[in-house]
Structure formats: C-alpha cells, structure tokens
Amino acid sequence: ETNEIVYIHPSSHLFSSQPDLIVYREVITAKKPYMKFITEVKTAWVLNVGKSLVTMSKPLGDPQPFYSKTKDRMLCYVKASYGPKLFDMGLHETEFDRNDE
C-alpha cells in the first residue's frame, strides 16, 4: 500500500478522457510515476458487481425523494462509498424505502 500519486501517461487513450475510476497493473517511473495497463471502470459496474464492498448512506433529504412516472415508484438519492477506505462513488438514484429513513 502506498500514497504515491500516479499519472495516466499522455500516450494512453484514457489520457484525454480522465475517467473517474480506473484499475492498473503496474507503475513505471519516468519523469513521473505512470500507470501501465490501465482500464476504465464504470461506477455502475462497481455498484452491481462489487455490492458486498459498497456502502450506501440512508436516503438523502436533499435532493428530496421524488416520484418517477416512468418507473412508477418513489426514488431517492444515496451516497455510495467503496471498499474499506470508503472511496467516494458519488450520488446514486435508488428506490425509496420509508423503512430506510
């Protein structure tokens, strides 16, 4: 485990897109430490596949729960965190359950 800051190499196809989440296999050191063999990871993938490592907050009061006509149910926003260090995964829309208040 390290707290070293690593970078996406300018020649990488991900350099200009600056993805929110990535995985990488190794770090090489040139002028800066660069990640090698990197792949973008979509937040939705983590929320679906890594459910056992995702922590969801109680429904947020702001923004308030709302009715979705297209889904015919009440929805709300929660804050999601991933892993033992609780990496911030942002706000996510989910079905509102009054028991979770």
Side-chain angles (χ1 to χ4, degrees):
E1 184 177 325
T2 180
N3 290 328
E4 179 180 27
I5 295 174
V6 293
Y7 299 89
I8 297 175
H9 194 275
S11 66
S12 170
H13 68 283
L14 292 176
F15 181 76
S16 60
S17 64
Q18 299 294 309
D20 289 332
L21 298 171
I22 59 169
V23 293
Y24 63 94
R25 193 171 83 189
E26 66 183 89
V27 174
I28 58 169
T29 303
K31 289 183 181 180
K32 296 179 181 178
Y34 290 109
M35 295 171 280
K36 192 171 179 184
F37 306 111
I38 63 175
T39 302
E40 181 174 12
V41 176
K42 301 290 185 190
T43 303
W45 299 346
V46 175
L47 296 175
N48 290 329
V49 177
K51 286 181 183 177
S52 64
L53 295 172
V54 175
T55 302
M56 299 287 195
S57 72
K58 291 189 178 281
L60 301 176
D62 185 26
Q64 291 187 333
F66 60 96
Y67 176 73
S68 168
K69 213 177 213 182
T70 57
K71 295 180 180 178
D72 190 29
R73 58 185 49 132
M74 290 294 291
L75 301 175
C76 66
Y77 285 94
V78 294
K79 287 184 182 179
S81 303
Y82 178 77
K85 295 197 177 202
L86 301 175
F87 178 76
D88 183 10
M89 302 286 289
L91 296 183
H92 296 280
E93 190 178 280
T94 188
E95 191 168 340
F96 179 67
D97 183 351
R98 288 201 177 274
N99 295 325
D100 289 338
E101 285 187 285

